[in-house]
Amino acid sequence: MRVAQKGNLQKARAAWDRLMALGGTGVWDADIVTLSLADTVITDDDLAVFGDFTQVQVLDLSRTAVTGAGLKHLVYATDLEELIVVGTKLSRAAL
């Protein structure tokens, strides 16, 4: 069990590093995980990393080109409490 948890943490860290490389900023602390990808070139396909990074609680995708297809990857972000999508072309149906 411990090995699996360590493996999951390694996958989550790799996903976090990928999101930071895309221009993301945020805080990954024991109590809260916030991530802003606002004004980045993140794509729908890039959001697939949330399969390995489920801990995010607040996610800002403002002013990105993310579509409803990309949001489907967020089903894995099981701790997500707040999604910010100001200035996107997302429809209400996609949300």
Side-chain angles (χ1 to χ4, degrees):
M1 181 73 119
R2 207 171 216 170
V3 174
Q5 289 176 345
K6 183 177 180 183
N8 289 342
L9 182 58
Q10 289 173 336
K11 287 180 180 181
R13 179 56 65 189
W16 176 265
D17 291 345
R18 169 78 177 124
L19 294 165
M20 293 301 107
L22 291 169
T25 60
V27 173
W28 186 354
D29 233 6
D31 295 331
I32 190 162
V33 179
T34 65
L35 175 63
S36 176
L37 296 165
D39 300 306
T40 66
V41 294
I42 191 136
T43 66
D44 289 341
D45 291 338
D46 292 324
L47 294 180
V49 302
F50 287 98
D52 292 323
F53 186 61
T54 61
Q55 300 90 334
V56 67
Q57 294 164 298
V58 178
L59 177 60
D60 187 353
L61 297 173
S62 296
R63 296 171 301 283
T64 63
V66 170
T67 70
L71 288 186
K72 291 180 182 178
H73 295 294
L74 298 183
V75 69
Y76 302 108
T78 53
D79 291 338
L80 189 62
E81 297 174 8
E82 184 175 351
L83 177 64
I84 305 164
V85 293
V86 174
T88 65
K89 294 183 180 179
L90 289 165
S91 68
R92 284 192 184 270
L95 297 172

XYZ file of all heavy atoms in Angstrom:
712
model
N 0.829 -1.194 0.000
C 0.000 0.000 0.000
C 0.866 1.246 0.000
O 0.602 2.183 -0.731
C -0.935 -0.028 1.219
C -1.851 1.141 1.287
S -3.136 1.034 0.059
C -4.540 0.990 1.092
N 1.905 1.252 0.801
C 2.777 2.410 0.899
C 3.463 2.721 -0.434
O 3.608 3.857 -0.816
C 3.812 2.135 1.971
C 4.318 3.350 2.615
C 5.162 3.015 3.808
N 4.869 4.043 4.756
C 5.226 4.047 5.982
N 5.879 3.029 6.467
N 4.939 5.031 6.763
N 3.863 1.671 -1.165
C 4.500 1.851 -2.464
C 3.533 2.506 -3.439
O 3.882 3.408 -4.177
C 5.007 0.500 -3.018
C 5.523 0.659 -4.418
C 6.092 -0.061 -2.107
N 2.279 2.053 -3.412
C 1.271 2.642 -4.302
C 1.082 4.118 -3.986
O 0.991 4.943 -4.887
C -0.050 1.897 -4.167
N 1.036 4.459 -2.716
C 0.872 5.859 -2.346
C 2.069 6.676 -2.813
O 1.909 7.776 -3.318
C 0.689 5.991 -0.840
C -0.651 5.477 -0.375
C -0.792 5.516 1.139
O 0.168 5.670 1.879
N -2.014 5.359 1.603
N 3.264 6.140 -2.664
C 4.457 6.848 -3.115
C 4.416 7.021 -4.631
O 4.730 8.082 -5.144
C 5.717 6.092 -2.689
C 6.987 6.808 -3.061
C 8.200 6.069 -2.564
C 9.461 6.844 -2.956
N 10.664 6.118 -2.556
N 3.991 5.979 -5.336
C 3.865 6.060 -6.791
C 2.856 7.108 -7.203
O 3.077 7.853 -8.156
N 1.730 7.168 -6.482
C 0.718 8.178 -6.778
C 1.255 9.580 -6.541
O 0.966 10.495 -7.307
C -0.539 7.951 -5.936
C -1.313 6.733 -6.382
O -1.134 6.225 -7.487
N -2.161 6.242 -5.509
N 2.022 9.749 -5.478
C 2.609 11.048 -5.190
C 3.608 11.440 -6.275
O 3.651 12.598 -6.693
C 3.284 11.050 -3.817
C 3.891 12.379 -3.374
C 2.831 13.479 -3.349
C 4.535 12.240 -2.009
N 4.367 10.484 -6.756
C 5.323 10.768 -7.826
C 4.605 11.179 -9.105
O 5.026 12.105 -9.786
C 6.226 9.558 -8.078
C 7.222 9.325 -6.968
C 7.992 8.027 -7.141
O 7.547 7.088 -7.800
N 9.162 7.974 -6.522
N 3.503 10.505 -9.417
C 2.714 10.866 -10.599
C 2.114 12.255 -10.433
O 2.088 13.055 -11.372
C 1.611 9.843 -10.841
C 2.098 8.532 -11.375
C 0.932 7.588 -11.583
C 1.386 6.251 -12.117
N 0.246 5.348 -12.341
N 1.618 12.545 -9.236
C 1.039 13.857 -8.968
C 2.103 14.943 -9.093
O 1.855 16.009 -9.664
C 0.406 13.887 -7.582
N 3.297 14.686 -8.579
C 4.391 15.665 -8.674
C 4.780 15.895 -10.131
O 5.014 17.022 -10.548
C 5.593 15.184 -7.854
C 6.792 16.094 -7.896
C 6.546 17.523 -7.469
N 6.188 17.629 -6.087
C 5.766 18.749 -5.510
N 5.648 19.871 -6.192
N 5.434 18.768 -4.247
N 4.830 14.837 -10.928
C 5.151 14.970 -12.352
C 4.077 15.785 -13.077
O 4.389 16.627 -13.922
C 5.307 13.594 -12.991
N 2.800 15.554 -12.717
C 1.709 16.323 -13.310
C 1.819 17.794 -12.915
O 1.662 18.691 -13.759
C 0.361 15.753 -12.874
N 2.100 18.050 -11.639
C 2.277 19.428 -11.156
C 3.407 20.109 -11.933
O 3.251 21.238 -12.398
C 2.577 19.414 -9.669
C 2.869 20.744 -9.060
C 4.104 21.299 -8.864
C 1.931 21.719 -8.581
N 3.984 22.530 -8.272
C 2.660 22.812 -8.091
C 0.540 21.744 -8.513
C 2.059 23.943 -7.552
C -0.061 22.879 -7.959
C 0.695 23.956 -7.489
N 4.523 19.430 -12.082
C 5.662 20.000 -12.810
C 5.297 20.310 -14.257
O 5.698 21.338 -14.795
C 6.864 19.056 -12.756
C 7.466 18.942 -11.365
O 7.160 19.794 -10.490
O 8.236 17.981 -11.136
N 4.513 19.440 -14.881
C 4.058 19.673 -16.261
C 3.191 20.926 -16.331
O 3.340 21.753 -17.228
C 3.278 18.447 -16.751
C 2.543 18.630 -18.043
C 3.454 18.550 -19.251
N 2.673 18.672 -20.463
C 2.896 19.581 -21.391
N 3.902 20.404 -21.283
N 2.136 19.649 -22.458
N 2.287 21.091 -15.378
C 1.417 22.263 -15.357
C 2.211 23.542 -15.092
O 1.924 24.591 -15.668
C 0.305 22.070 -14.323
C -0.677 20.937 -14.665
C -1.514 20.564 -13.456
C -1.541 21.312 -15.861
N 3.218 23.465 -14.256
C 4.082 24.627 -14.013
C 4.864 24.980 -15.285
O 5.042 26.150 -15.611
C 5.061 24.357 -12.865
C 4.416 24.199 -11.493
S 3.470 25.643 -10.941
C 1.804 25.016 -11.142
N 5.305 23.977 -16.032
C 6.041 24.209 -17.279
C 5.160 24.885 -18.332
O 5.667 25.596 -19.204
C 6.589 22.896 -17.819
N 3.852 24.694 -18.224
C 2.914 25.342 -19.140
C 2.601 26.781 -18.728
O 1.802 27.443 -19.377
C 1.621 24.539 -19.225
C 1.734 23.192 -19.924
C 0.465 22.370 -19.700
C 1.983 23.392 -21.413
N 3.209 27.235 -17.654
C 2.991 28.608 -17.197
C 2.084 28.716 -15.992
O 1.728 29.825 -15.577
N 1.715 27.593 -15.430
C 0.840 27.616 -14.261
C 1.552 28.136 -13.020
O 2.780 28.114 -12.939
N 0.751 28.619 -12.098
C 1.255 29.059 -10.792
C 0.314 28.501 -9.736
O -0.853 28.226 -10.016
C 1.299 30.591 -10.666
O -0.024 31.110 -10.845
C 2.239 31.211 -11.682
N 0.837 28.328 -8.537
C -0.055 27.834 -7.508
C 0.638 27.491 -6.217
O 1.829 27.757 -6.033
N -0.141 26.876 -5.353
C 0.327 26.461 -4.031
C -0.074 25.008 -3.837
O -1.240 24.643 -4.035
C -0.315 27.321 -2.920
C 0.041 26.794 -1.543
C 0.068 28.778 -3.081
N 0.893 24.193 -3.454
C 0.616 22.800 -3.115
C 1.098 22.605 -1.690
O 2.270 22.457 -1.418
C 1.339 21.863 -4.055
C 1.003 20.407 -3.870
C 0.229 19.860 -2.884
C 1.435 19.318 -4.676
N 0.152 18.501 -3.038
C 0.889 18.131 -4.140
C 2.229 19.224 -5.796
C 1.115 16.888 -4.685
C 2.452 17.975 -6.340
C 1.899 16.821 -5.794
N 0.162 22.673 -0.776
C 0.441 22.588 0.651
C -0.347 21.412 1.226
O -1.234 20.877 0.565
C -0.034 23.876 1.330
C 1.022 24.553 2.160
O 2.173 24.110 2.140
O 0.673 25.528 2.844
N -0.069 21.065 2.449
C -0.788 19.968 3.090
C -2.282 20.273 3.223
O -3.109 19.375 3.131
C -0.189 19.685 4.465
N -2.631 21.551 3.396
C -4.016 21.940 3.638
C -4.774 22.399 2.400
O -5.999 22.365 2.366
C -4.073 23.060 4.679
C -3.581 22.606 6.032
O -3.706 21.405 6.340
O -3.050 23.444 6.782
N -4.060 22.879 1.386
C -4.738 23.424 0.209
C -3.865 23.283 -1.028
O -2.639 23.382 -0.954
C -5.136 24.900 0.416
C -6.046 25.357 -0.725
C -3.914 25.784 0.574
C -6.823 26.614 -0.424
N -4.539 23.036 -2.140
C -3.863 22.983 -3.434
C -4.632 23.897 -4.372
O -5.806 23.652 -4.672
C -3.818 21.552 -4.004
C -3.117 21.553 -5.355
C -3.117 20.608 -3.031
N -3.988 24.975 -4.779
C -4.585 25.906 -5.724
C -3.704 25.966 -6.954
O -2.478 25.883 -6.859
C -4.740 27.322 -5.135
O -3.450 27.869 -4.884
C -5.557 27.305 -3.867
N -4.336 26.130 -8.106
C -3.600 26.163 -9.354
C -4.244 27.151 -10.302
O -5.450 27.093 -10.539
C -3.588 24.764 -9.990
C -2.964 24.617 -11.355
C -1.476 24.973 -11.314
C -3.155 23.195 -11.865
N -3.437 28.063 -10.814
C -3.913 28.976 -11.840
C -3.204 28.675 -13.146
O -1.982 28.672 -13.224
C -3.644 30.438 -11.457
O -4.034 31.273 -12.536
N -4.014 28.410 -14.148
C -3.528 28.254 -15.518
C -4.074 29.379 -16.385
O -4.056 29.294 -17.606
C -3.945 26.889 -16.068
C -3.328 25.700 -15.321
C -4.053 24.415 -15.667
C -1.850 25.593 -15.629
N -4.567 30.428 -15.727
C -5.130 31.578 -16.432
C -4.091 32.181 -17.368
O -2.902 32.238 -17.047
C -5.597 32.637 -15.429
N -4.564 32.573 -18.536
C -3.720 33.239 -19.534
C -2.563 32.369 -20.023
O -1.535 32.879 -20.444
C -3.177 34.567 -18.985
C -4.286 35.526 -18.613
O -5.148 35.797 -19.470
O -4.308 35.981 -17.452
N -2.724 31.053 -19.956
C -1.706 30.149 -20.489
C -2.225 29.527 -21.783
O -3.378 29.713 -22.162
C -1.352 29.025 -19.498
O -2.489 28.183 -19.332
C -0.889 29.581 -18.159
N -1.381 28.777 -22.432
C -1.754 28.119 -23.689
C -2.201 26.672 -23.451
O -2.109 25.837 -24.334
C -0.593 28.166 -24.710
C -0.311 29.593 -25.133
C 0.645 27.497 -24.140
N -2.697 26.397 -22.261
C -3.138 25.038 -21.927
C -4.204 24.575 -22.918
O -5.033 25.369 -23.356
C -3.658 24.950 -20.471
C -3.854 23.500 -20.083
C -4.899 25.745 -20.265
C -3.357 23.173 -18.731
N -4.136 23.307 -23.265
C -5.095 22.732 -24.212
C -5.979 21.708 -23.505
O -5.699 21.300 -22.386
C -4.365 22.017 -25.359
O -3.673 20.879 -24.834
C -3.382 22.949 -26.066
N -6.997 21.298 -24.199
C -7.866 20.245 -23.669
C -7.050 18.999 -23.328
O -7.246 18.391 -22.282
C -8.946 19.885 -24.687
C -9.988 20.969 -24.865
O -10.115 21.835 -23.978
O -10.683 20.944 -25.890
N -6.147 18.632 -24.220
C -5.328 17.439 -23.990
C -4.435 17.579 -22.764
O -4.187 16.596 -22.057
C -4.474 17.117 -25.214
C -5.304 16.632 -26.393
O -6.438 16.147 -26.182
O -4.824 16.745 -27.529
N -3.945 18.789 -22.483
C -3.101 19.005 -21.311
C -3.846 18.706 -20.015
O -3.232 18.311 -19.017
C -2.588 20.448 -21.259
C -1.599 20.775 -22.363
O -0.797 19.888 -22.736
O -1.620 21.919 -22.851
N -5.156 18.889 -20.020
C -5.939 18.649 -18.805
C -6.006 17.170 -18.437
O -6.420 16.822 -17.330
C -7.337 19.237 -18.943
C -7.406 20.764 -19.039
C -8.855 21.216 -19.165
C -6.745 21.432 -17.855
N -5.545 16.305 -19.310
C -5.518 14.871 -19.001
C -4.616 14.579 -17.798
O -4.774 13.542 -17.147
C -5.052 14.078 -20.214
N -3.697 15.478 -17.453
C -2.819 15.262 -16.296
C -3.610 15.158 -14.996
O -3.099 14.633 -14.012
C -1.709 16.340 -16.145
C -0.841 16.400 -17.377
C -2.296 17.687 -15.818
N -4.845 15.624 -14.986
C -5.639 15.528 -13.765
C -6.020 14.092 -13.443
O -6.527 13.815 -12.361
C -6.844 16.462 -13.819
C -6.438 17.891 -13.651
C -6.280 18.717 -14.751
C -6.145 18.386 -12.399
C -5.865 20.032 -14.600
C -5.729 19.693 -12.233
C -5.583 20.515 -13.339
N -5.733 13.168 -14.343
C -5.866 11.754 -14.024
C -4.860 11.332 -12.963
O -5.104 10.400 -12.193
N -3.733 12.041 -12.916
C -2.685 11.768 -11.924
C -2.623 12.810 -10.818
O -1.946 12.612 -9.819
C -1.316 11.699 -12.606
C -1.178 10.506 -13.519
O -1.715 9.435 -13.167
O -0.560 10.641 -14.581
N -3.288 13.921 -11.014
C -3.216 15.026 -10.047
C -4.622 15.374 -9.588
O -5.263 16.291 -10.083
C -2.528 16.233 -10.700
C -2.282 17.366 -9.743
C -1.472 17.191 -8.644
C -2.853 18.604 -9.956
C -1.246 18.228 -7.759
C -2.622 19.654 -9.078
C -1.825 19.467 -7.984
N -5.105 14.584 -8.635
C -6.498 14.700 -8.196
C -6.685 15.676 -7.037
O -7.807 15.984 -6.668
C -7.018 13.327 -7.748
O -6.220 12.872 -6.644
C -6.928 12.308 -8.873
N -5.583 16.173 -6.478
C -5.637 16.925 -5.227
C -6.054 18.392 -5.370
O -6.309 19.051 -4.376
C -4.257 16.913 -4.549
C -3.753 15.543 -4.218
C -2.931 14.919 -5.345
O -3.078 15.235 -6.503
N -2.049 14.012 -4.974
N -6.100 18.930 -6.570
C -6.369 20.352 -6.735
C -7.760 20.696 -6.185
O -8.733 19.998 -6.435
C -6.210 20.801 -8.203
C -7.258 20.196 -9.101
C -6.210 22.315 -8.307
N -7.813 21.780 -5.417
C -9.074 22.231 -4.822
C -9.631 23.460 -5.532
O -10.834 23.632 -5.633
C -8.862 22.538 -3.344
C -8.526 21.293 -2.544
C -7.943 21.642 -1.200
O -6.892 22.257 -1.117
N -8.627 21.230 -0.144
N -8.729 24.343 -5.980
C -9.130 25.548 -6.700
C -8.351 25.570 -8.008
O -7.119 25.475 -8.001
C -8.829 26.830 -5.885
C -9.222 28.074 -6.673
C -9.546 26.785 -4.542
N -9.076 25.693 -9.128
C -8.451 25.687 -10.446
C -8.956 26.868 -11.254
O -10.163 27.036 -11.422
C -8.774 24.373 -11.169
C -8.255 24.232 -12.590
C -6.729 24.326 -12.638
C -8.732 22.920 -13.193
N -8.041 27.675 -11.743
C -8.382 28.847 -12.554
C -7.962 28.589 -14.000
O -6.778 28.451 -14.295
C -7.666 30.083 -12.002
C -8.097 31.370 -12.689
O -8.850 31.313 -13.683
O -7.662 32.447 -12.229
N -8.945 28.523 -14.876
C -8.704 28.343 -16.311
C -9.105 29.582 -17.102
O -9.329 29.514 -18.308
C -9.502 27.127 -16.820
C -9.128 25.772 -16.233
C -10.099 24.702 -16.700
C -7.700 25.404 -16.592
N -9.159 30.722 -16.437
C -9.615 31.958 -17.074
C -8.753 32.324 -18.283
O -7.534 32.143 -18.283
C -9.574 33.118 -16.074
O -10.484 32.880 -15.028
N -9.438 32.820 -19.288
C -8.802 33.313 -20.513
C -7.901 32.264 -21.171
O -6.799 32.540 -21.600
C -8.051 34.616 -20.255
C -9.011 35.744 -19.832
C -8.307 36.989 -19.365
N -7.438 36.762 -18.224
C -7.838 36.622 -16.961
N -9.128 36.667 -16.679
N -6.989 36.436 -15.977
N -8.407 31.023 -21.195
C -7.732 29.944 -21.905
C -8.655 29.447 -23.016
O -9.825 29.827 -23.074
C -7.388 28.765 -20.978
O -8.600 28.196 -20.477
C -6.478 29.198 -19.843
N -8.138 28.592 -23.867
C -8.922 28.043 -24.975
C -9.534 26.693 -24.637
O -9.998 25.982 -25.520
C -8.030 27.925 -26.211
N -9.575 26.345 -23.370
C -10.129 25.061 -22.942
C -11.607 24.979 -23.330
O -12.349 25.947 -23.198
C -9.932 24.883 -21.425
C -10.700 23.688 -20.911
C -8.459 24.755 -21.101
N -12.006 23.798 -23.786
C -13.398 23.581 -24.183
C -14.043 22.539 -23.271
O -13.390 21.978 -22.396
C -13.479 23.072 -25.641
O -12.959 21.730 -25.696
C -12.718 23.973 -26.601
N -15.286 22.265 -23.549
C -16.001 21.251 -22.785
C -15.323 19.891 -22.863
O -15.353 19.123 -21.899
N -14.698 19.601 -23.989
C -13.991 18.324 -24.128
C -12.858 18.221 -23.114
O -12.623 17.158 -22.538
C -13.447 18.174 -25.544
N -12.176 19.316 -22.871
C -11.090 19.317 -21.890
C -11.595 19.202 -20.464
O -10.976 18.544 -19.626
N -12.735 19.826 -20.201
C -13.289 19.776 -18.846
C -13.636 18.358 -18.416
O -13.640 18.057 -17.223
C -14.527 20.659 -18.736
C -14.312 22.164 -18.749
C -15.626 22.880 -18.478
C -13.257 22.595 -17.760
N -13.867 17.482 -19.364
C -14.195 16.095 -19.015
C -13.061 15.435 -18.239
O -13.296 14.538 -17.442
C -14.524 15.303 -20.276
C -15.831 15.753 -20.891
C -16.170 14.986 -22.132
C -17.483 15.540 -22.702
N -17.856 14.891 -23.937
N -11.830 15.901 -18.438
C -10.691 15.353 -17.690
C -10.762 15.706 -16.207
O -10.145 15.044 -15.380
C -9.362 15.868 -18.256
C -9.086 15.407 -19.644
N -8.863 14.089 -19.970
C -9.006 16.101 -20.806
C -8.640 13.987 -21.266
N -8.727 15.188 -21.788
N -11.506 16.743 -15.871
C -11.577 17.191 -14.474
C -12.424 16.263 -13.607
O -12.451 16.426 -12.396
C -12.098 18.626 -14.400
C -11.219 19.671 -15.084
C -11.811 21.061 -14.881
C -9.787 19.611 -14.590
N -13.065 15.287 -14.203
C -13.815 14.314 -13.420
C -12.883 13.596 -12.439
O -13.310 13.140 -11.380
C -14.558 13.309 -14.335
C -13.606 12.393 -15.055
C -15.579 12.527 -13.546
N -11.591 13.544 -12.771
C -10.610 12.894 -11.902
C -10.137 13.800 -10.759
O -9.534 13.328 -9.810
C -9.399 12.442 -12.719
C -9.791 11.497 -13.831
C -9.763 11.906 -15.159
C -10.237 10.216 -13.541
C -10.134 11.044 -16.168
C -10.623 9.343 -14.552
C -10.563 9.763 -15.866
O -10.947 8.911 -16.866
N -10.401 15.087 -10.864
C -9.996 16.042 -9.828
C -11.026 15.977 -8.701
O -11.849 16.874 -8.521
C -9.872 17.448 -10.409
N -10.952 14.914 -7.936
C -11.999 14.606 -6.959
C -12.052 15.581 -5.786
O -13.061 15.641 -5.087
C -11.816 13.177 -6.425
O -10.482 13.027 -5.939
C -12.056 12.155 -7.527
N -10.991 16.357 -5.570
C -10.989 17.340 -4.484
C -11.386 18.739 -4.957
O -11.413 19.682 -4.168
C -9.605 17.402 -3.821
C -9.283 16.137 -3.046
O -10.216 15.412 -2.670
O -8.096 15.874 -2.814
N -11.689 18.889 -6.253
C -11.991 20.205 -6.816
C -13.228 20.812 -6.171
O -14.297 20.203 -6.152
C -12.189 20.096 -8.326
C -12.312 21.413 -9.081
C -11.036 22.239 -8.954
C -12.631 21.159 -10.547
N -13.062 22.011 -5.617
C -14.156 22.736 -4.973
C -14.550 23.984 -5.750
O -15.691 24.428 -5.683
C -13.752 23.141 -3.552
C -13.481 21.969 -2.643
C -12.933 22.386 -1.291
O -12.902 23.603 -0.989
O -12.512 21.497 -0.534
N -13.593 24.569 -6.446
C -13.859 25.820 -7.155
C -13.163 25.803 -8.511
O -11.964 25.538 -8.597
C -13.352 27.003 -6.336
C -13.654 28.335 -6.942
C -13.249 29.499 -6.035
O -12.892 29.262 -4.867
O -13.275 30.639 -6.514
N -13.931 26.091 -9.569
C -13.417 26.176 -10.928
C -13.711 27.571 -11.448
O -14.866 27.991 -11.472
C -14.080 25.116 -11.811
C -13.705 25.128 -13.283
C -12.217 24.810 -13.455
C -14.559 24.127 -14.057
N -12.681 28.270 -11.856
C -12.822 29.649 -12.338
C -12.592 29.640 -13.847
O -11.542 29.193 -14.319
C -11.815 30.575 -11.638
C -11.978 30.455 -10.123
C -11.980 32.015 -12.121
C -10.820 31.014 -9.322
N -13.573 30.141 -14.602
C -13.506 30.099 -16.067
C -13.871 31.441 -16.703
O -14.485 31.493 -17.767
C -14.387 28.956 -16.627
C -13.837 27.605 -16.247
C -15.829 29.097 -16.164
N -13.477 32.530 -16.089
C -13.770 33.863 -16.591
C -13.088 34.060 -17.940
O -11.916 33.722 -18.111
C -13.280 34.931 -15.582
C -13.442 36.333 -16.145
C -13.988 34.768 -14.252
N -13.837 34.594 -18.894
C -13.243 34.932 -20.179
C -12.950 33.736 -21.068
O -12.096 33.797 -21.945
N -13.661 32.637 -20.847
C -13.518 31.474 -21.709
C -14.754 31.382 -22.613
O -15.714 32.129 -22.428
C -13.408 30.158 -20.910
O -14.627 29.936 -20.228
C -12.239 30.195 -19.952
N -14.710 30.463 -23.554
C -15.856 30.256 -24.435
C -16.666 29.032 -24.017
O -17.424 28.482 -24.793
C -15.376 30.121 -25.876
C -14.768 31.393 -26.389
C -14.352 31.285 -27.815
C -13.746 32.625 -28.250
N -13.294 32.596 -29.623
N -16.509 28.632 -22.757
C -17.242 27.476 -22.254
C -18.729 27.778 -22.134
O -19.128 28.839 -21.669
C -16.700 27.056 -20.889
C -15.319 26.424 -20.914
C -14.725 26.375 -19.524
C -15.398 25.025 -21.511
N -19.528 26.834 -22.553
C -20.979 26.992 -22.442
C -21.451 26.529 -21.078
O -20.746 25.786 -20.380
C -21.676 26.170 -23.536
O -21.483 24.790 -23.280
N -22.638 26.927 -20.724
C -23.226 26.452 -19.466
C -23.371 24.932 -19.499
O -23.189 24.263 -18.489
C -24.596 27.102 -19.229
C -24.503 28.526 -18.773
C -25.887 28.985 -18.291
N -25.856 30.363 -17.932
C -25.574 30.809 -16.717
N -25.283 29.948 -15.767
N -25.581 32.095 -16.445
N -23.690 24.404 -20.650
C -23.864 22.959 -20.782
C -22.553 22.236 -20.484
O -22.567 21.149 -19.895
C -24.354 22.613 -22.186
N -21.431 22.813 -20.876
C -20.127 22.189 -20.639
C -19.791 22.175 -19.152
O -19.094 21.283 -18.673
C -19.030 22.910 -21.406
N -20.285 23.176 -18.429
C -19.998 23.261 -17.006
C -20.921 22.358 -16.227
O -20.644 21.865 -15.201
C -20.133 24.702 -16.513
C -19.147 25.675 -17.152
C -19.484 27.106 -16.749
C -17.727 25.340 -16.727
